[in-house]
Amino acid sequence: MVSEQFNAAAEKVKSLTKRPSDDEFLQLYALFKQASVGDNDTAKPGLLDLKGKAKWEAWNKQKGKSSEAAQQEYISFVEGLVAKYA
């Protein structure tokens, strides 16, 4: 089932031996949030919160994507990271 694969992929990320790039982390975060929460309806962080703003914008780019589609994309993305960084 997709949700089981999604949870397994979320666990795999924790076992990476090398750190993914910031862009990869943002993509991972955005797909995870879209898959688990849905569309971003939170207030955009202020200008001085650069990290929060980057995360918000990455998640916001996923708007309209279904939870299942985001889970599938997350699973595929994690598999790529595992191949690259495990």
Side-chain angles (χ1 to χ4, degrees), residues 3-70:
S3 60
E4 291 170 7
Q5 291 175 311
F6 175 73
N7 292 333
E11 287 302 311
K12 281 183 188 177
V13 168
K14 297 175 185 175
S15 66
L16 296 177
T17 56
K18 294 180 185 149
R19 186 183 190 284
S21 72
D22 288 343
D23 286 342
E24 289 168 329
F25 263 126
L26 283 174
Q27 179 73 1
L28 203 59
Y29 171 83
L31 288 170
F32 184 86
K33 292 294 275 187
Q34 188 68 21
S36 56
V37 178
D39 286 346
N40 181 355
D41 62 0
T42 62
K44 188 172 185 177
L47 286 175
L48 299 179
D49 183 2
L50 299 178
K51 183 177 180 181
K53 189 175 169 194
K55 289 168 69 176
W56 186 94
E57 288 174 348
W59 180 15
N60 207 46
K61 287 179 186 173
Q62 301 298 323
K63 190 169 270 188
K65 188 175 289 180
S66 73
S67 176
E68 189 168 296

